[in-house]
Amino acid sequence: MDFIDQIKSISQQVSKLREEIETEEATKTAFVMPFIKALGYNVHNPREVCPEFTADVPGVKGEKVDYAIIIDKTPAILIECKWCGRGLENPKHRSQLHRYFHTTTAKFTVLTNGILYRFYTDTEKPNIMDEKPFFEFSILDFSDSTINELKRFSKSRFDPDELGDVAQTLLYTKEIKRLMAEQLVKPSPEFAKFFASQVYPRRVVASVTERFKEITKRSLKEFINERITERLAAAINVEHSRTAVEIQDSETEVFSDNDGLVTTEEKLEAFCIVKAILCKSIDIERIQCKDTKGYLGVNLDGKTHKTICRFRFSPNKKTIGILDLNKKEAKKAISSLNEIYGFAEFIKARAIDIAQIGETQIESIEQ
């Protein structure tokens, strides 16, 4: 099983069991140990994954960290676990890791509740753990980029020197993103003044800066929205062109049936919009469609029992229908194809549910 598939499997496990887990020990067994195993370490070999690793502080005996990953007979990564029903914000949790980091040779520490994993190192002062994690990974909300960063901690990829450099970059990138997010909501005087000085023809005084706060905020939001729209439009055009070529080159029309049913350009565009919405969540090759006299159905793997949504277009009315796992369809009228984007979260949720549940389960639910 590929690394990404193992992580997805753990994610499903966490989603199902998190409400039933009531202790830290259960969290470690059900969530954390499978996670360590997915990284390629042998959780049954104490010479590689040592539970209750001794990390005594001078003057204090009996200090133990939940797990130490041993590489070349030396602790390389320390992992401190908490119950999955508890957050990681308590300062006491970090102070524990501070002590362990200072008294061992490990260069990386992880604080986790089995759902969120926070990775720390010493980018600011040698041998003193940073206050802020340089990387965070949520088992319930991850992307391709975070998976790629997580792979750096796997047994086959682990390189402490490389990770030290990466940690600094990730930490600074994370902080810059945080600052940008803050500026988008409430631009600071300095931020607004920077832009004002580039475009305002006269001296930028306090009143001008104040005015430019709102102008800057609106400009940034419009810029981001325009870029998103451009990318979606490009994705639609690419998929539309690909579909058109496939139809022209095929001996039998992909979207036609024996009764002479012809899929309209409008339906194809709706199909492409769904593919654009799902392109980051689902393998694009799995997203297919089947046209009937009643509707155009978008599905996974060409299976009608894996239908994601349905489109019904007539000269006077357009509707989108999204199904649940009990095959109940919620229909909504739309006035233009652009309104499909307003249903993006529902489309994603339906597609991900289908992708995660086995085919046999879907068939049994829908019978």
Side-chain angles (χ1 to χ4, degrees):
M1 187 182 290
D2 291 341
F3 180 67
I4 180 65
D5 293 326
Q6 293 182 66
I7 295 299
K8 286 180 178 178
S9 177
I10 297 170
S11 179
Q12 293 174 25
Q13 180 87 343
V14 172
S15 295
K16 292 177 183 176
L17 299 180
R18 61 185 298 187
E19 300 300 328
E20 301 175 31
I21 301 295
E22 298 181 349
T23 65
E24 181 181 307
E25 285 302 314
T27 299
K28 290 193 286 187
T29 301
F31 300 161
V32 180
M33 287 180 67
F35 183 83
I36 297 172
K37 185 178 179 181
L39 289 172
Y41 301 102
N42 186 353
V43 295
H44 303 296
N45 180 0
R47 293 179 178 177
E48 186 164 294
V49 179
C50 181
E52 296 297 307
F53 181 79
T54 300
D56 287 340
V57 179
V60 181
K61 297 294 183 181
E63 289 277 77
K64 295 183 184 295
V65 64
D66 289 310
Y67 297 103
I69 294 177
I70 311 296
I71 296 177
D72 295 330
K73 299 182 180 181
T74 303
I77 306 172
L78 304 180
I79 303 175
E80 180 64 20
C81 306
K82 302 301 173 186
W83 172 47
C84 63
R86 182 174 296 153
L88 301 177
E89 306 307 323
N90 192 327
K92 291 182 180 179
H93 301 336
R94 288 195 303 278
S95 69
Q96 276 184 294
L97 280 179
H98 270 286
R99 297 197 302 271
Y100 302 151
F101 190 91
H102 184 67
T103 57
T104 70
T105 57
K107 298 299 292 180
F108 300 94
T109 56
V110 181
L111 178 63
T112 182
N113 57 6
I115 298 172
L116 182 63
Y117 291 79
R118 290 180 173 171
F119 293 76
Y120 297 83
T121 189
D122 56 349
T123 62
E124 296 178 5
K125 296 180 181 179
N127 302 318
I128 298 177
M129 192 184 88
D130 297 337
E131 287 293 325
K132 297 177 181 178
F134 67 87
F135 175 57
E136 294 188 20
F137 182 84
S138 171
I139 198 70
L140 297 178
D141 183 17
F142 51 84
S143 63
D144 289 344
S145 61
T146 53
I147 284 288
N148 288 334
E149 296 301 339
L150 182 63
K151 280 182 181 177
R152 296 179 187 274
F153 292 90
S154 64
K155 184 177 179 179
S156 61
R157 290 274 307 274
F158 186 77
D159 182 336
D161 294 329
E162 179 191 35
L163 267 173
D165 295 334
V166 170
Q168 281 193 326
T169 301
L170 288 175
L171 181 62
Y172 297 147
T173 301
K174 177 184 172 184
E175 287 302 297
I176 289 173
K177 286 181 177 179
R178 180 185 62 79
L179 290 171
M180 290 298 294
E182 290 177 357
Q183 297 299 330
L184 280 171
V185 176
K186 188 178 180 181
S188 66
E190 295 79 13
F191 194 68
K193 189 174 182 178
F194 168 78
F195 288 103
S197 65
Q198 306 298 311
V199 298
Y200 191 68
R202 293 187 289 277
R203 191 166 69 91
V204 180
V205 296
S207 59
V208 174
T209 299
E210 191 64 29
R211 179 186 171 196
F212 264 83
K213 284 184 181 180
E214 188 59 36
I215 294 174
T216 301
K217 179 180 177 180
R218 185 173 68 249
S219 299
L220 288 173
K221 286 186 176 180
E222 288 181 3
F223 173 76
I224 291 171
N225 288 336
E226 287 169 3
R227 291 299 300 272
I228 291 172
T229 301
E230 288 172 4
R231 291 183 66 180
L232 288 172
I236 291 169
N237 289 335
V238 168
E239 291 303 323
H240 191 283
S241 299
R242 185 187 301 170
T243 302
V245 170
E246 288 174 353
I247 292 174
Q248 291 171 6
D249 292 346
S250 177
E251 291 183 0
T252 59
E253 289 189 4
V254 176
F255 300 111
S256 297
D257 63 19
N258 294 331
D259 294 329
L261 177 67
V262 178
T263 302
T264 64
E265 185 174 338
E266 189 176 45
K267 288 182 180 179
L268 286 177
E269 188 171 345
F271 173 52
C272 289
I273 290 174
V274 174
K275 293 181 79 172
I277 289 171
L278 296 176
C279 65
K280 289 189 176 181
S281 305
I282 302 291
D283 181 357
I284 201 78
E285 299 300 326
R286 297 186 64 190
I287 306 168
Q288 301 181 31
C289 70
K290 180 176 177 59
D291 202 1
T292 70
K293 289 184 178 180
Y295 57 81
L296 176 80
V298 182
N299 59 60
L300 286 188
D301 308 321
K303 306 286 182 66
T304 55
H305 65 269
K306 292 185 178 182
T307 296
I308 300 168
C309 60
R310 293 170 178 161
F311 294 103
R312 295 173 175 84
F313 296 154
S314 68
N316 301 319
K317 187 177 182 181
K318 299 181 180 71
T319 64
I320 177 175
I322 300 176
L323 286 74
D324 62 21
L325 287 179
N326 294 316
K327 214 174 180 180
K328 292 181 180 179
E329 183 179 1
K331 299 177 186 176
K332 291 288 183 180
I334 56 176
S335 57
S336 71
L337 296 184
N338 284 336
E339 291 184 18
I340 297 172
Y341 291 112
F343 298 90
E345 293 305 315
F346 298 101
I347 292 171
K348 286 181 185 177
R350 168 64 176 168
I352 291 171
D353 281 344
I354 296 172
Q356 290 181 343
I357 296 176
E359 186 165 321
T360 303
Q361 290 176 274
I362 294 175
E363 290 176 337
S364 64
I365 289 171
E366 298 195 345
Q367 282 176 353

